[in-house]
Amino acid sequence: MSLFHPPSHFPPQLAFLWPIIWVQVLMLRAQIRAAYGRGVVYRWSVTDNLRVYLVSIE
């Protein structure tokens, strides 16, 4: 997963909006690392209006 390559399970109709979503994912990752430390497994998802939210922390 990088700026130019969305995850393989990502919907193709949202692929052109991936840079906007990617920035939100980076911010979410930074918040999780600050709160829980490195190596925490988490899941995220995208709403219909392109907002990234946290689904679960394992």
Side-chain angles (χ1 to χ4, degrees):
M1 181 173 77
S2 70
L3 177 60
F4 299 111
H5 299 287
S8 59
H9 64 278
F10 202 70
Q13 67 269 23
L14 295 178
F16 72 97
L17 296 170
W18 174 244
I20 296 169
I21 296 168
W22 183 71
V23 169
Q24 294 181 51
V25 170
L26 287 181
M27 296 301 293
L28 179 64
R29 182 176 66 185
Q31 291 176 343
I32 290 173
R33 283 186 177 174
Y36 298 100
R38 296 187 82 142
V40 175
V41 178
Y42 62 95
R43 296 180 188 269
W44 55 270
S45 187
V46 179
T47 63
D48 293 337
N49 54 357
L50 301 178
R51 297 203 181 227
V52 172
Y53 67 96
L54 182 64
V55 175
S56 68
I57 297 177
E58 299 174 3

